[in-house]
Amino acid sequence: MLTRKQLELLQFIQLKMNEGGVPPSFDEMKDALDLKSKSGIHRLITALEERGFLRRLPNRARAIEVIRMPESLGGAGMTASAPPPEARRFTPSVVEGGKGKAPVPAVASARPPTTRATDGEGRAITIPVMGRIAAGTPIAAIQEQSHSVTLSPDFLSGGEHYALEVRGDSMVEAGILDGDLVVIRKQDTANTGDIIVALIDDEEATLKRLRRRGSSIALEAANPAYETRVLGPDRVRIQGRLVSLVRRY
């Protein structure tokens, strides 16, 4: 799953490649997506590269290659009938947090359907699967319930829970692999060292380990190939804490 901005950028790059065989410049991409700085474009390209939609070739100017398009587009690029990127805007729908232990603020937003984790009689609990999340560069997550999963109460803690499908490999050294299903307890605070669902800039969500560096928030990968992202506390909002993991073979 891609954010609206990621999809817009991918389509714009594909369009320019189809027109002239040359990827657009960062300035062209920034203007097309109506962004204020090229740093936002860099972040979007990195996210698309990790998700396997783009490839950057080293030591070459404008060396961006479109590898594939989303299945929802049937593998096709932007068409003439598609609205231009600047005409579309992304409105995230995210999970509302509960109460936790540490003083990191959280976003208030649309509340998806969830069930309580406590059954009282030891019976299996059904919780919603809310889409996909990146264990890597952030992607859109927590959009809407796609299906449900039934778990033993042993996999859950007190409170309300939801599940997300993991995409990416940045948390492999924490035992979280691409394709795993992570079970998240809804809360808007967490302790240093917890693995959390973090919402960045109210648009992108990622699964990372939380660290505090003074007044800043560090989102730490469990893979040396990925850099730790250090962000201001106003840019990061906690959507929940990892409590268990489900893996099918």
Side-chain angles (χ1 to χ4, degrees):
M1 181 183 295
L2 299 178
T3 67
R4 182 67 58 83
K5 286 294 186 184
Q6 289 166 1
L7 181 58
E8 289 173 1
L9 180 60
L10 184 63
Q11 290 179 309
F12 180 67
I13 293 172
Q14 179 75 348
L15 175 64
K16 288 296 185 180
M17 292 289 291
N18 289 342
E19 288 179 347
V22 178
S25 67
F26 271 52
D27 284 324
E28 289 174 325
M29 289 185 274
K30 175 177 69 69
D31 293 341
L33 271 68
D34 195 25
L35 297 180
K36 294 181 178 179
S37 70
K38 289 186 283 189
S39 62
I41 294 296
H42 177 78
R43 186 177 74 244
L44 292 172
I45 288 177
T46 300
L48 289 169
E49 184 179 26
E50 180 185 315
R51 296 288 293 144
F53 293 98
L54 292 180
R55 178 187 296 123
R56 283 185 286 190
L57 305 177
N59 305 318
R60 289 176 55 187
R62 298 197 188 187
I64 300 174
E65 177 185 4
V66 177
I67 300 174
R68 64 186 179 95
M69 298 296 289
E71 293 179 3
S72 60
L73 298 179
M78 181 184 292
T79 66
S81 61
E86 57 269 23
R88 302 189 295 272
R89 290 292 178 268
F90 172 64
T91 303
S93 174
V94 296
V95 175
E96 180 181 22
K99 295 185 180 289
K101 301 182 233 181
V104 178
V107 68
S109 54
R111 187 186 184 94
T114 58
T115 57
R116 286 284 173 182
T118 53
D119 176 277
E121 299 181 10
R123 295 177 298 189
I125 305 292
T126 298
I127 64 172
V129 179
M130 301 304 299
R132 296 176 178 177
I133 190 166
T137 303
I139 60 173
I142 321 176
Q143 294 289 329
E144 59 184 13
Q145 181 175 350
S146 59
H147 59 284
S148 299
V149 62
T150 301
L151 301 173
S152 165
D154 293 338
F155 283 87
L156 309 172
S157 57
E160 297 184 28
H161 298 74
Y162 60 92
L164 293 167
E165 297 176 7
V166 174
R167 290 294 178 266
D169 62 355
S170 77
M171 298 301 291
V172 292
E173 293 190 4
I176 303 170
L177 307 181
D178 182 77
D180 285 347
L181 193 71
V182 289
V183 179
I184 306 297
R185 182 188 188 274
K186 291 174 56 179
Q187 57 187 70
D188 59 9
T189 59
N191 294 324
T192 291
D194 287 345
I195 296 176
I196 63 167
V197 173
L199 185 71
I200 300 174
D201 296 331
D202 288 339
E203 182 176 282
E204 298 178 271
T206 188
L207 187 72
K208 289 291 183 294
R209 193 177 299 278
L210 172 69
R211 302 289 185 191
R212 290 188 176 83
R213 296 186 178 179
S215 61
S216 297
I217 301 298
L219 300 178
E220 181 182 274
N223 183 334
Y226 294 87
E227 295 183 356
T228 296
R229 298 187 67 184
V230 181
L231 304 165
D234 59 325
R235 296 184 60 192
V236 179
R237 302 179 186 238
I238 294 173
Q239 300 293 285
R241 175 177 61 86
L242 174 71
V243 296
S244 59
L245 178 148
V246 179
R247 180 174 301 154
R248 291 190 177 94
Y249 291 92

